[in-house]
Amino acid sequence: MKSFVLLILTTTGLLAALAPPPAAAATTAAGRPNILFIMTDDHAAHAISAYGSVVNQTPHLDRLAKEGVRFDRCFAVNSICTPSRATILTGKYSHINGVTVFNRFDGSQPTVAKHLQAAGYHTGMIGKWHLGSQPTGFDHWTILPGQGVYFNPTFLVPEGKTQIQGYVTDIITDLAIDFLKNRPTNQPFFLMCHHKAPHRSWDPDEKHKAMFAGKHIPEPATLRDNYDGRTDALHENKQRVFYDLTRNDLKLVPPAELTGQARNQWLNVKPTEVEIEVNGQKKVLTGDELNAWKYQRYMQDYLACVQSVDDNVGRLLAWLDAAGLRDNTLVIYTSDQGFFLGDHGLYDKRFMYEPSIHMPFIVRWPGVVHPATTTDAMAINPDFAPTFMAAAGLPVPPDMQGRSLLPVLQGRTPADWRHSFYYRYYHDPGDHNTRAHYGVRTDTHKLIYFWKKDQYELYDLRNDPGEMHNLYNEPAQAEVIAGLKTELLRLKHDLNDTDQWALQPPPDPGVDGPFPDKSTNQPAAKKP
Ligand code: CA
């Protein structure tokens, strides 16, 4: 049976070499798969019904999960847009690829797009890029400048700029399909299709806005979290649904007489009372009634943007089907990080808490991935580039810090697969006053260190998946904490993240023996 399959592949390869393949050829040169990487911006896994969402239904993403594998533990190692994109391209952590915050990506460094292009892939980048420099390693690119806009967006192309009328999610899908239609069919393709949605300011198109207008969205259990027992970080942060959404976020309409700067000032106010109309009657909302209304307004718009993404993923999958490309195309759906959907009272991301770092990651690859499966294998975004390399049959460059997920995709998670990963967020104080921190997440626990304040949080994820109970100061946890600090240090060392370690060695609270020797700034010897 095995040799029969090989014979078919060989024959197809010969035919491809002898004559131009038909336009709808399902296989590609040497049988290498096409790779379609669809990534959204800020789409939380808990707003996908395949992940158990209680707030929306996403039939097209669910279809992908039914036909592929759903990763339940995929994480961003620095949960913010630009660094995640640089990590995905390079397979490296922020301190190695140089993009820790919003700094410009140095496009002269190796990327997975360059490697695949050199190996004969036709490479494309469509949509949100957000890396400051021009794309390199792509045969074709059309990108949004910076964050881009939702309506009638301008795009950057190698020749300059072009503005396209319409809604950004529809347009990016159209451009992705154009790329696929116009590709050379004697090469496999690698396409990064990056949506702007559902990033703030959450501007839906009319069709999807209507689907969520007035719809009641269930509140998360931790919406009114009062941060008891947590460090200063949550208390001081400014990404709170009740207090930090602006009139612009809430889609309140400025008085007609306001123009220019006065209009912008009005829109940037974080309102403490709002006048709405109910059944033709005006009503002023304050206090918790206003808080509940703000959550609804935020989520209605966010979910309407997600619904357009889902429709457009469906459109792209249908196009692959019609073109006969389904069977030899590896399709991935992910987001550059997770997002708080009112969890802990928050919107946005940045923090090392689960809703922020958890990336949706769904992979369909007929004949390789078993349909309708899930995996708990811990994946991180530095793994994506090595995975693309391995899927293309190429060696993983030794300087990539992630690990190929290919065996996990094949249902054979290696015995030595990781059980922990290192996280680090740099932007401080940043747009939302979220303090810099780093930490380690294992299968069962999470230790977060807000190093500028020398404050720790410890969570037992088995008993407290919502991360409400900081156990760091409980004497019974001393051994767990010591073990996590050892692991944190091991990961930092292995990943060559030595700067904070050297500059700001954490103090010795009695249980952090493995932290650096302050006299030499060298790591202390590991306990046997
Ligand atoms: Ca993002």
Side-chain angles (χ1 to χ4, degrees), residues 40-42 80-82 85 128 199 335-338 349:
T40 39
D41 194 334
D42 295 356
I80 191 161
C81 311
T82 300
R85 286 153 203 276
K128 186 167 174 184
H199 192 278
S335 165
D336 58 349
Q337 5 71 207
K349 53 266 183 177

Side-chain angles (χ1 to χ4, degrees), residues 16 110 155 181 185 190 210 226 230 245 300 322 325 377 400 459 507:
F155 286 88
K181 280 182 182 165
T185 51
F190 171 61
N226 62 9
R230 262 60 61 78
L245 291 175
Q300 287 159 354
L325 290 169
M400 286 189 179
Y459 297 99

Side-chain angles (χ1 to χ4, degrees), residues 185-248:
T185 51
N186 59 345
Q187 287 176 266
F189 66 80
F190 171 61
L191 173 60
M192 303 187 94
C193 173
H194 292 187
H195 287 289
K196 170 183 173 57
H199 192 278
R200 194 184 188 188
S201 52
W202 315 302
D203 293 319
D205 63 348
E206 287 303 321
K207 174 185 165 190
H208 298 96
K209 189 173 159 185
M211 287 172 67
F212 286 88
K215 189 174 178 195
H216 181 80
I217 313 298
E219 292 182 355
T222 60
L223 180 62
R224 289 171 178 78
D225 186 357
N226 62 9
Y227 309 148
D228 265 1
R230 262 60 61 78
T231 62
D232 292 346
L234 268 174
H235 293 272
E236 292 175 357
N237 93 90
K238 299 204 180 300
Q239 52 189 58
R240 301 160 303 173
V241 173
F242 295 167
Y243 307 106
D244 298 315
L245 291 175
T246 64
R247 285 172 172 155
N248 189 52

